[in-house]
Amino acid sequence: METREPELRRELDATLRARAELGPEYESALVDSFLEKVEQRLDSTLDRHMRRSLAEQRTTTARGGAEPAGIGGTFVERFGFGVVSLVLAVPLSAIGVANAGIEGLVTAWLGIVGVNAVHAARSWPWGRAGKRAPSGWDD
């Protein structure tokens, strides 16, 4: 087993040596201790990556770059939402037709279109807090 973390490798070796010395009755305590150390390492790494990502987003925004992807949603998020809404449209359409005929079908699809329009409006510049996007014509 190769690892990029020599400290974790040393911890694992120490845990395995302790297990060999102490016997299988202490195995669960040793494993729990090692997993706790791995979890702490993962938490610190994740925290470091999140701080770096947030700092990069703030720097990009402060320099007048593009907005962070979280505000308007990424392409994958929007595409996934569209696919899910189309998949759910099938049973909603069937329920609407079974209960109210063509009026139920129209109502179901108006709801689907409405939900997708609201979701799409989040990424429009004028959809956020009534502000419109700055243009080159503004002085």
Side-chain angles (χ1 to χ4, degrees):
M1 175 176 102
E2 291 187 30
T3 178
R4 288 183 257 159
E5 299 289 336
E7 183 179 323
L8 281 178
R9 177 66 180 181
R10 284 193 298 271
E11 289 288 338
L12 177 61
D13 290 339
T15 302
L16 292 174
R17 282 194 307 273
R19 192 237 181 233
E21 291 174 10
L22 297 174
E25 58 271 1
Y26 291 100
E27 184 173 344
S28 64
L30 291 169
V31 169
D32 289 342
S33 173
F34 178 73
L35 289 178
E36 185 175 316
K37 291 173 185 171
V38 170
E39 184 179 1
Q40 289 172 354
R41 174 63 63 118
L42 287 173
D43 286 344
S44 67
T45 302
L46 180 62
D47 186 46
R48 189 172 56 248
H49 286 296
M50 292 301 293
R51 287 178 190 263
R52 183 180 302 141
S53 176
L54 184 59
E56 288 173 359
Q57 286 180 352
R58 287 181 178 169
T59 303
T60 301
T61 303
R63 290 182 179 166
E67 288 184 356
I71 293 176
T74 63
F75 172 76
V76 174
E77 178 187 343
R78 293 189 310 262
F79 182 75
F81 189 82
V83 168
V84 168
S85 67
L86 286 176
V87 167
L88 292 177
V90 174
L92 288 174
S93 298
I95 292 169
V97 168
N99 290 326
I102 192 73
E103 293 87 11
L105 178 67
V106 170
T107 303
W109 275 95
L110 285 175
I112 293 166
V113 169
V115 167
N116 279 285
V118 168
H119 186 265
R122 292 184 331 148
S123 63
W124 295 340
W126 58 84
R128 287 188 292 274
K131 295 181 182 178
R132 64 181 180 92
S135 68
W137 298 96
D138 294 336
D139 287 328

